[in-house]
């Protein structure tokens, strides 16, 4: 079966062969188009490791059973994607600080004793991607997070606060959805200056260095940019977490004023690299993983 089509369900997991080489997976709903299998399989093959990574299409109501089946099916770990990250936080036996901060689990380790440990590599992957793309540290930047009310927005805003950002602007279409995040950041990182806004009230981003798009605006070709180009300055660094286009609508808006921008592919890569390091306590071949991602990425 090719990486592009391989997909298993809860019925498959209920009768998982004991000798299957498929011992890692991304669990999601939908999950058919996840690029994680080719990325991780490139690393596993390059290192000559005796395991392969696949996709598990698991519906939200099936997640508790799926997690319970992982140890007996000899899984080493899984990644969780939409919509499972918050539910996974409640289902694992132990949660580390990164997952607690993010409010969700994207990496699960299945211990030899069958215990599940939850981590989040979204914030760390974002941080590595920004350093790689722009040569700047999120923690040394004043950051505007667009779509701060979603899962990625929370993980990224929390990561920036954790790394030392002095000022964070939380922007969300629905203001109610960022109230608890603003409180959580203020409590955990009291020296961070936190502001909140909806999109309509934004008049200037001149007080910020790094703009991050965590909305889903831009995933469809016909989407508008979440931000008009007249709010972007040429000195801004613009990071769009979306990776369904090489140049997203926000990146095109950044081009208009000559601001540097990058899409979400490096974040996808680095969150995967961090997951691999958590599972195997070794550094994977990053350039092999990047090449595998680029081979399946939209152009
Ligand atoms: P989510 O929890 O569903 O959050 C979606 C966010 O987008 C919310 O803040 C939502 O605002 C906002 N939004 C949706 N439609 C909008 C619109 N028309 N106008 C303005 N805001 C809108 O999703 P998520 O898991 O955080 O994912 C969000 C994005 O991050 C996706 O594009 C995903 O691909 C990306 N992501 C990338 C990586 C990576 O590795 N590169 C990892 C994770 C996520 P409301 O609260 O008002 O609904």
């Amino acid at each position: 079966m090719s990486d592009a089509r391989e997909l298993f369900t809860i019925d498959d997991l209920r009768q998982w062969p004991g000798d299957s080489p498929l011992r890692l997976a991304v669990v999601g709903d939908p999950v058919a188009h996840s690029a994680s299998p080719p990325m991780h399989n490139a690393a596993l093959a390059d290192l000559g490791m005796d395991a392969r990574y696949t996709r598990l299409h698991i519906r939200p109501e099936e997640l508790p059973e799926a997690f319970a089946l992982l140890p007996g099916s000899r899984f080493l770990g899984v990644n969780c994607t939409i919509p499972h990250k918050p539910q996974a936080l409640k289902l694992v036996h132990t949660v580390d600080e990164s997952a607690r901060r993010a409010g969700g689990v994207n990496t699960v380790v299945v211990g030899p004793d069958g215990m599940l440990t939850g981590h989040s590599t979204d914030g760390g992957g974002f941080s590595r991607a920004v350093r790689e793309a722009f040569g700047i540290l999120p923690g040394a930047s004043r950051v505007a997070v667009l779509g701060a009310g979603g899962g990625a927005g929370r993980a990224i805003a929390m990561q920036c606060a954790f790394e030392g950002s002095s000022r964070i602007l939380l922007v969300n279409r629905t203001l109610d959805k960022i109230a608890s995040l603003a409180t959580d950041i203020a409590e955990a990182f009291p020296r961070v200056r936190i502001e909140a806004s909806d999109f309509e009230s934004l008049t200037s981003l001149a007080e910020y260095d790094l703009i991050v798009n965590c909305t889903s605006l831009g995933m469809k070709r016909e989407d508008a940019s979440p931000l008009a180009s007249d709010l972007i300055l040429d000195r801004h660094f613009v990071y769009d977490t979306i990776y369904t286009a090489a140049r997203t609508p926000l990146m095109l808006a950044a081009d208009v004023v000559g601001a540097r921008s990058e899409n979400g592919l490096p974040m996808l890569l680095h969150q995967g690299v961090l997951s691999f390091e958590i599972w195997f306590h070794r550094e994977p071949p990053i350039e092999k993983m990047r090449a595998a991602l680029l081979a399946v990425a939209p152009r």
Side-chain angles (χ1 to χ4, degrees):
M1 266 183 286
S2 81
D3 275 323
R5 286 194 302 272
E6 199 172 82
L7 189 69
F8 297 93
T9 66
I10 191 74
D11 287 334
D12 300 312
L13 197 54
R14 287 181 186 131
Q15 43 202 323
W16 206 251
D19 58 352
S20 174
L22 300 174
R23 300 186 65 194
L24 293 157
V26 55
V27 180
D29 179 25
V31 75
H33 299 292
S34 170
S36 290
M39 170 174 70
H40 281 290
N41 283 328
L44 294 165
D46 187 69
L47 294 171
M49 294 172 75
D50 188 21
R52 281 193 58 219
Y53 186 114
T54 189
R55 298 178 184 83
L56 289 172
H57 182 193
I58 301 294
R59 298 197 166 78
E61 63 277 15
E62 298 165 347
L63 197 64
E65 182 186 356
F67 272 26
L69 287 167
L70 292 174
S73 309
R74 293 180 66 243
F75 270 82
L76 302 167
V78 291
N79 286 127
C80 299
T81 188
I82 287 176
H84 297 323
K85 293 178 192 184
Q87 195 188 351
L89 188 72
K90 298 186 187 123
L91 291 175
V92 294
H93 301 103
T94 318
V95 171
D96 88 338
E97 259 314 300
S98 65
R100 222 183 299 280
R101 265 197 307 273
V105 161
N106 83 333
T107 305
V108 176
V109 178
V110 183
D113 52 0
M115 301 299 270
L116 306 183
T117 311
H119 307 254
S120 175
T121 64
D122 283 337
F126 157 78
S127 180
R128 285 190 182 188
V130 164
R131 277 181 276 166
E132 182 183 276
F134 306 131
I136 61 164
L137 300 172
S141 310
R142 298 164 300 170
V143 189
V145 182
L146 314 177
R154 182 187 177 91
I156 285 174
M158 274 291 193
Q159 184 73 23
C160 292
F162 172 66
E163 292 190 14
S165 295
S166 58
R167 190 164 174 173
I168 300 176
L169 172 64
L170 307 176
V171 184
N172 210 51
R173 181 174 59 173
T174 325
L175 267 178
D176 290 357
K177 293 200 192 163
I178 42 178
S180 65
L181 174 60
T183 306
D184 291 350
I185 295 178
E187 277 175 8
F189 307 101
R191 17 146 233 87
V192 182
R193 179 167 167 187
I194 290 280
E195 282 147 303
S197 176
D198 55 23
F199 286 90
E200 289 73 33
S201 313
L202 278 184
T203 52
S204 167
L205 290 174
E207 302 296 325
Y208 299 90
D209 312 302
L210 174 61
I211 299 171
V212 188
N213 180 33
C214 301
T215 75
S216 38
L217 262 184
M219 292 185 77
K220 296 192 218 106
R221 236 170 236 289
E222 64 274 18
D223 279 348
S225 167
L227 212 57
S229 53
D230 56 7
L231 283 169
I232 306 174
L233 304 175
D234 60 356
R235 63 165 186 78
H236 278 143
F237 297 100
V238 178
Y239 192 78
D240 197 336
T241 63
I242 288 174
Y243 50 83
T244 49
R247 305 291 301 161
T248 66
L250 178 62
M251 293 170 74
L252 297 174
D255 287 348
V256 171
V257 296
R260 288 175 63 183
S261 63
E262 181 55 275
N263 74 11
L265 212 69
M267 177 175 163
L268 183 66
L269 168 69
H270 287 293
Q271 60 80 31
V273 168
L274 287 166
S275 294
F276 195 100
E277 289 174 1
I278 288 170
W279 291 322
F280 298 113
H281 307 286
R282 65 189 290 189
E283 201 180 312
I286 297 179
E287 294 315 318
K288 299 273 184 207
M289 293 170 79
R290 192 193 309 273
L293 270 186
L294 287 170
V296 296
R299 288 166 205 280

